[in-house]
Amino acid sequence: MTESYDFKNLEAKWQSLWAESREFEVTEDPTKPELYCLEMLPYPSGGGIHMGHVRNYSIGDVVARYKRMSGYNVLHPIGWDSLGMPAENAAIQHKAHPARWTLNNIKKMRAQLKRMGYSYAWDREVTTCLPEYYKWNQWFFLKMMERGLVYRQKGKVNWCPNCQTVLANEQAEGGHCWRCETEVEEREQEQWFFKITAYADRLLEDMSQLVPNWPENVLTMQRNWIGKSVGVRIGFPVVDSNYKVETFTTRIDTIYGATFLILSSEHPLIGKLIEGSPEKERVLSFIERQKSLSYKDRIAAAACKEGVFTGSFAYNPFTNKLIPIWVANFVLIEYGTGAVMGVPAHDERDFEFALQYGLPIKVVIQPPGEESDGAQLDQAYTGEGVLVNSGEFNSLPSPVAIERMTEYIVQQGIGQRNVDYRLMDWGISRQRYWGTPIPIVYCPKCGTVPVPEEELPVLLPEIKEITGTGGSPISQVEEFVNTKCPKCNEPAWRETDTMDTFVDSSWYHLRYTDAKIDTKPLNPEAVDYWMPVDLYIGGIEHAVMHLMYFRFFNKVLKDMGLVKVDEPVVHLLTQGMVIKDGAKMSKSKGNVVEPKELIERYGADSTRLFCLFAAPPEKDLDWNDQGIEGCYRFLSRLWRIANKYIPSIRNLEELPKDARLSAEAKKLRVKTHQTIKKVTIDIEERMHFNTALSSIMELVNELYRFDLAGEINPDSLKVVKETIQALVLLLSPFAPHLCEELWQRMGNPNKITFASWPIYNAELATEEKITVVVQINGKLRSRLTVDSQASDEEIKREAMADKKVLTYLQGKKIVKSIYVPKKLINIVVK
RNA sequence: GCGAAAGUGGCGGAAUUGGUAGACGCGCUGGAUUUAGGAUCCAGUGGGUAAUUCCCGUGGGGGUUCGAAUCCCCCCUUUCGCACCA
C-alpha cells in the first residue's frame, strides 16, 4: 500500500522549514547576478486574498524560484498597499477603526500568502499606511515642490450637497450619491497637482527602451494616453468684438473647410458671446444640462452629439468668411483650448454634427487620385490628400500645406506652432481620512508654507468617528488643523487633504530594496544593486494610470539623483482577469471562488498549479471547479510513481550519456530531455506556464507507460531516476512543497530552492524518426516516417514513391512542389 | 463615444516564424481492479460517414497565398481602461 499524497502535513512541514531557515531572504551580493521579481502589492481588503492575487503571485513565484535555481540572487518582496477608500468605507459602514481594520486584514492576508508557499523575502515587507512609510510620501512631495513639480489649482470634484462631501467616481456612479441617492453635482475646489505633463515627452520617448519587453498593447495605451499632437493654435476673430476664439488643430491644411466653430460648454467666452443674444436662454439651459452630468456620463453622452448656436459669428482667418459659433457636448474643456474649428468634410465628429444641424460641408482635401465634393460625400474623408478650394494653397499635398500654412500663420501673427498633450497633470488631493496628510501649512502672514523636512511625518490624527459627511474628516480634528506657521511661528492651519494612494504605489518597489532604513527614504547602494525591476507582474487594468505614475516617479527620482535608471521596469507581464461563468468574479454576481476553500480541499500546490495551467498569464482565466481536481490528480499521480521508484533508485549512479538502452528506455530518456528543453524555453522565453505544465504532464504519462512495460534492469532504472529527478526539478517552481518532499526522499541533503535547474542534452533530445507530411494541392494526403538523418533528396524521393501519393498523382500533371525541410511537401497538380 | 485586446470541440486551452488544427487537462464512453461505491490503471473521444474512407470545420462575410486559426478588408460579440476603486 503506497502512502497517500498528504498535502496538508507536507505543505505545513516545508512552510515551517522555509520560515525557520529564512529561506528567501537575500542580501546584496555583488558576486552573484541579481534579479528583481516584483508583483503588484495587494490592497488588504476584508475579503482576504482572492483568485486574482493567487494567480498574480503564483506567476511571480514560478519566475522567482526558477531564477533562483538558475543561479540568480533573487529579490522577491511583498507588501501592503494599505491606505485607501475601502478602510474608510468600512469605518463609515460598520464603524470599524481604519487602522485596526487594515492591520487585521494584513495579518490575515499575510498568513494566507504564507499558506500558499510563496517565496517572499518576508523581512522586507512594506506597509504603506504606517508613518514610517508615508513619511517619505511627504518627503517626496516637498522635494518635488522644491523642483517646481507641485502646484495648487482649482480642479473638479463630485459633490454630494446632502452629505456635504466629495465623492469618488465609484461613489457617484450614475450621477447619484452612493449613500443618500442625492444627485451629484460637479464642483470646483482647490487641489494639489503633480506636474506629470512636464515629463510627457520623456515618458513618451523612453518607451523605445521598453520595446520589446513590455506588451505592445500597454505601450500603445500609454502612447495614446499621453496623446501628443503637434499642430497650431489659431485665433478666430469674433464679429463685432475684440475677442478671439482660440482653437488648436493638427490639420491646419483643412482650415478652408472650417464652416463653424464649436466651444465646450464650459468655455469662458460663452458668457460674452451670448450677452444680448436671442439664443441666450437656449444656450444657458444647454450648459445647465451638461453641468448636471459627471465627467464620465458626459463622455458617454457625447456619443449623441448635441449642440446649440450661440448667435455669434467669427471670421475664418483664411477665407475671411463668417462662420457660426456653436456650443456642443463633444468638445471638452480639458483638451486643447476647449474650442475647435468644425471641418465637417474631413472630421467624422464634425461631419455628423453638421448633418444633424444642417451646417455647410465644404470639401478641401481630395483623396489621392479621386475627386469628391460635398454633395456626394456620405462620410468624412479624414486622410491626407491634395488641397482644393483652398486659395493659394490649392494642389499642395497635405504635409506640405500644413508646413506652409503654419509658416503663414506665424508670419501673420494670427497663431503659433503648438504641441498639445492629452495627458493632464496628476491631481493628488483627496478629501479623505485614510491617506497621507499633505505636508502644508497655511499661514495668514506667510501664505502657503511647506512643513520643514525635520518635522516629518505629519501624522494622520486619530479620529473617533468617520461619518462620510461634512467634508474632509481630518478638517474636523482641531488639534490637527490648528498649528503654528513653521516660518513665523504664528497661529496657522494645516492642509487637510490627503494624497492619492497612487503616490504610495509609485515608489514602494524602491523601498523594498532596503525597507528598514529610517534616516532617508532610500538606501542608494541597495537601490543601485537591485534596480531596475527585471520583471513586474500585475493586472492589465493598471496598463495606463498606475504604470504611468510609476514611470513618472522614477524619472523625477532620477533627476533627484536617487535612481540611476531611466525606466523602473525592464520586463512587464500583464495578467488577464480571473473570470467565472463568463463574468468577473464579484460578490454581487455570487460567482466568487475563495482560495481558502481550495487550499483546504486540494492544497496550495494544486491551487497554484491550476492558476498556471488553465491559461497563459496574459489571457483571462476562466475558472471552473473541476479543473483544479485534474491538477490535484496529476500531483497525486506523480507522487505515487515517484514514491514507487525512489527506494530502488535513490542510491543509483548517474547514467552515462552514451549508455546503450532498450527501445523503451531510450524513448523515456528522449522524452525527458525534450521536456527539460520545452519547460526551460516556456518559462524563460515565453512565460507560458500552461504549456510548460502540459509537457511535464506528458512526461509523467510517458513514465507510466514505461512502468507498464515492466522493464527492470539497472540501466533502465537509471533512466527512471533521470526522469524523476528532472520531473521534480522542473515542477518545483510550480508545486514547491511536493517537490521539496520528493527531492528530500531521493536523498538530497539540501533544499530544492537552490538546486541547479536541469540542463538538457541536445543529442539526447533528438528523436530517431521524424514525420514528414505530404500534401496534394494543400490537402494532407499522407504521412511519411523517415530517419531524422535522412537527406532532403531521400525524403522527396520517398514522398513521390508513396502509394497514397501515387493514387492522387494518377492522370494529373505536377505543376510544382514546395518542400519545407524535414516537415512538409506540398505537390501542386492539375 | 474614445483607446486597447480577445473569439479554436461539450468546457479550459495547444498549434513558438504562414506549413500535420484540437497537445495537455476537464467532461463523457468503454474496459480492468474492487463485496459495492469512491479512488486507481488502460483505451477511445471535433462534426458528418458503413469505413484508418472521403467531406466539413478555428465568431460571420470577403480577399491574398501552393498552403491561413495565424496576414489584409468589412461586420458581430465579449473584456479592460477613460484621470477620486486599487
Side-chain angles (χ1 to χ4, degrees), chain A residues 95-233:
Chain A
K95 306 213 183 295
H97 190 282
R100 205 170 323 127
W101 183 84
T102 303
L103 294 173
N104 260 337
N105 291 341
I106 290 176
K107 206 169 146 196
K108 197 161 81 185
M109 284 175 65
R110 185 190 294 120
Q112 289 179 316
L113 293 184
K114 287 193 173 173
R115 182 60 192 87
M116 284 301 296
Y118 296 132
S119 62
Y120 290 126
W122 284 106
D123 58 324
R124 291 169 185 256
E125 223 174 320
V126 157
T127 306
T128 62
C129 64
L130 299 177
E132 64 199 49
Y133 186 83
Y134 72 66
K135 168 182 177 177
W136 303 112
N137 283 346
Q138 296 169 340
W139 187 87
F140 285 124
F141 179 95
L142 297 177
K143 291 292 153 187
M144 283 165 77
M145 203 166 189
E146 284 169 21
R147 306 182 77 82
L149 294 171
V150 177
Y151 67 95
R152 203 160 117 97
Q153 202 180 55
K154 283 226 155 116
K156 283 177 199 163
V157 292
N158 301 310
W159 179 258
C160 174
N162 183 43
C163 302
Q164 290 285 300
T165 194
V166 174
L167 299 177
N169 285 341
E170 66 165 13
Q171 297 174 325
E173 215 152 301
H176 295 273
C177 174
W178 65 314
R179 301 191 66 208
C180 65
E181 292 293 313
T182 306
E183 210 163 303
V184 174
E185 293 173 1
E186 200 173 87
R187 250 205 185 190
E188 294 258 306
Q189 195 162 322
E190 288 284 319
Q191 311 251 44
W192 288 97
F193 288 87
F194 282 164
K195 216 184 255 175
I196 190 171
T197 53
Y199 283 74
D201 266 323
R202 272 167 74 185
L203 287 165
L204 195 63
E205 270 158 32
D206 289 350
M207 266 186 238
S208 62
Q209 297 180 29
L210 304 177
V211 179
N213 296 321
W214 277 42
E216 190 51 49
N217 59 335
V218 173
L219 294 177
T220 308
M221 281 191 260
Q222 292 223 341
R223 208 172 286 123
N224 293 340
W225 186 262
I226 295 171
K228 179 176 182 170
S229 46
V230 177
V232 291
R233 254 174 210 239

Side-chain angles (χ1 to χ4, degrees), chain A residues 416-456:
Chain A
Q416 336 63 69
R417 289 177 193 273
N418 194 258
V419 178
D420 234 59
Y421 298 91
R422 207 190 71 101
L423 182 71
M424 301 184 283
D425 277 333
W426 175 10
I428 59 149
S429 282
R430 299 291 181 270
Q431 292 71 41
R432 289 184 213 297
Y433 173 68
W434 200 232
T436 304
I438 292 175
I440 289 289
V441 168
Y442 299 104
C443 168
K445 248 201 250 163
C446 312
T448 304
V449 182
V451 174
E453 215 178 300
E454 339 44 279
E455 287 178 27
L456 299 184

Side-chain angles (χ1 to χ4, degrees), chain A residues 428 494 548 655 672 739:
Chain A
I428 59 149
R494 284 189 191 280
M548 190 73 77
L655 183 66
T672 300
C739 293

Side-chain angles (χ1 to χ4, degrees), chain A residues 645-681:
Chain A
Y645 280 101
I646 281 173
S648 46
I649 61 173
R650 57 177 287 167
N651 294 319
L652 288 181
E653 281 163 31
E654 229 176 83
L655 183 66
K657 207 188 288 180
D658 51 1
R660 295 193 48 156
L661 297 165
S662 68
E664 288 295 327
K666 179 98 206 261
K667 204 172 151 206
L668 180 60
R669 198 176 200 196
V670 168
K671 186 74 181 173
T672 300
H673 284 264
Q674 284 175 340
T675 306
I676 297 171
K677 181 180 180 181
K678 167 90 175 138
V679 173
T680 308
I681 291 173

Side-chain angles (χ1 to χ4, degrees), chain A residues 211-268:
Chain A
V211 179
N213 296 321
W214 277 42
E216 190 51 49
N217 59 335
V218 173
L219 294 177
T220 308
M221 281 191 260
Q222 292 223 341
R223 208 172 286 123
N224 293 340
W225 186 262
I226 295 171
K228 179 176 182 170
S229 46
V230 177
V232 291
R233 254 174 210 239
I234 181 163
F236 286 66
V238 177
V239 173
D240 296 331
S241 79
N242 296 320
Y243 303 123
K244 270 185 177 180
V245 175
E246 278 284 320
T247 63
F248 172 78
T249 179
T250 59
R251 288 299 303 273
I252 192 67
D253 56 322
T254 65
I255 193 165
Y256 279 84
T259 51
F260 52 94
L261 289 176
I262 322 159
L263 309 183
S264 147
S265 61
E266 291 146 290
H267 199 283

Side-chain angles (χ1 to χ4, degrees), chain A residues 535-566:
Chain A
L535 174 65
Y536 194 24
I537 310 162
I540 182 69
E541 65 273 20
H542 296 291
V544 195
M545 300 186 64
H546 163 63
L547 287 169
M548 190 73 77
Y549 298 140
F550 194 80
R551 294 180 59 220
F552 164 63
F553 245 73
N554 186 85
K555 291 185 190 306
V556 174
L557 265 54
K558 190 188 177 191
D559 291 348
M560 286 166 62
L562 293 172
V563 191
K564 291 209 174 101
V565 293
D566 286 321

Side-chain angles (χ1 to χ4, degrees), chain A residues 325-371:
Chain A
I325 305 174
W326 285 63
V327 176
N329 64 345
F330 65 99
V331 175
L332 303 176
I333 192 73
E334 288 83 2
Y335 187 63
T337 58
V340 297
M341 59 182 203
V343 185
H346 306 293
D347 182 282
E348 279 160 28
R349 290 156 303 178
D350 298 347
F351 184 77
E352 199 185 311
F353 191 71
L355 279 191
Q356 207 170 315
Y357 292 101
L359 294 161
I361 297 171
K362 182 181 168 195
V363 171
V364 292
I365 305 286
Q366 242 168 33
E370 255 182 74
E371 278 192 22

Side-chain angles (χ1 to χ4, degrees), chain A residues 6-20 115 639 737 740-742 744-745 751:
Chain A
D6 176 9
F7 62 83
K8 227 168 236 176
N9 280 317
L10 196 148
E11 289 177 357
K13 166 184 165 184
W14 287 102
Q15 279 159 19
S16 76
L17 286 173
W18 293 333
E20 215 171 90
R115 182 60 192 87
W639 173 257
H737 309 87
E740 279 281 22
E741 182 67 24
L742 291 176
Q744 187 185 55
R745 290 181 181 207
K751 292 201 198 72

